Amino acid sequence: MIGRLTGTLADKSSPPQLLVDVNGVGYEVDVPMSSFFNLPASGERVTLLTHFVVREDAQVLFGFLTADERNTFRQLIKISGVGPRMALSLLSGLSVADLAQAVTAQDASRLVKVPGIGKKTAERLLLELKGKLGADIGVPGAVPASDAQADILQALVALGYSEREAQAAVKPLPPGVAVSEGIRLALKALSR
């Protein structure tokens, strides 16, 4: 019903909820912490992809900075026993790339570190998501040269760039570059 919001970020003082003013109408939106930390300052423009959940007792709008996050959220809430709050918690505790790698490796230990996710739920998530999430992770030649480059690559994928685009942006970075500087340089290269 509501697929995207573009407006002014009016308030982000009570994570994970924020208030987006769209032409005088304030929308309360719940976002995963991965999106929350990448939001602009209050008073600036923001665009969020959304997912609207209508229940008997509430109507809740969930927002995401990237299409990958929203798509992963939608995959998660299709799983029996995983509601929107648990899906939001998962995306707050793990990036989409981390979750995809955990699914590819069938590594339940990474999922149980997220608050509210027990061993049985983690195993069910891995089983249900197998083949639906993480299929393109593990492409040959995808191993970054250093931990910093791995972090930069992961950040770019979390921001919505494809694995291929992210690798192309990370490849020309100077060896030993700091993560924050590397992300800045990679984003600059990707914006051209």
Side-chain angles (χ1 to χ4, degrees):
M1 180 175 182
I2 300 172
R4 186 181 75 181
L5 290 176
T6 299
T8 304
L9 184 56
D11 181 33
K12 64 175 192 176
S13 62
S14 54
Q17 191 173 74
L18 42 112
L19 184 67
V20 180
D21 184 324
V22 181
N23 296 325
V25 178
Y27 290 91
E28 289 180 345
V29 184
D30 288 358
V31 297
M33 295 311 289
S34 52
S35 286
F36 190 87
F37 292 130
N38 291 307
L39 288 169
S42 292
E44 292 188 27
R45 288 193 61 76
V46 66
T47 297
L48 295 171
L49 299 172
T50 60
H51 181 86
F52 189 52
V53 175
V54 178
R55 296 189 324 239
E56 188 175 305
D57 61 341
Q59 296 181 21
V60 184
L61 193 58
F62 294 93
F64 309 92
L65 285 175
T66 68
D68 280 345
E69 276 187 333
R70 182 174 67 175
N71 294 338
T72 302
F73 177 84
R74 288 177 171 170
Q75 286 291 332
L76 289 168
I77 61 174
K78 289 179 185 176
I79 298 170
S80 175
V82 178
R85 293 283 170 212
M86 185 180 289
L88 198 67
S89 179
L90 268 164
L91 289 173
S92 292
L94 294 170
S95 70
V96 173
D98 285 343
L99 182 59
Q101 288 173 347
V103 169
T104 301
Q106 292 293 292
D107 183 7
S109 66
R110 291 173 82 176
L111 299 183
V112 296
K113 292 178 183 174
V114 176
I117 306 295
K119 186 177 179 186
K120 285 186 179 185
T121 303
E123 289 171 354
R124 185 172 63 244
L125 284 166
L126 292 176
L127 180 66
E128 296 270 347
L129 292 172
K130 190 174 185 176
K132 296 178 186 171
L133 189 65
D136 59 319
I137 301 294
V139 178
V143 179
S146 69
D147 286 342
Q149 285 187 331
D151 291 344
I152 295 165
L153 184 68
Q154 182 180 351
L156 294 173
V157 170
L159 288 171
Y161 292 99
S162 72
E163 189 84 18
R164 184 175 292 130
E165 289 172 321
Q167 286 177 1
V170 169
K171 194 173 186 177
L173 294 176
V177 68
V179 175
S180 59
E181 179 67 11
I183 292 171
R184 190 183 68 72
L185 292 170
L187 287 172
K188 192 173 183 180
L190 286 166
S191 68
R192 290 181 192 150

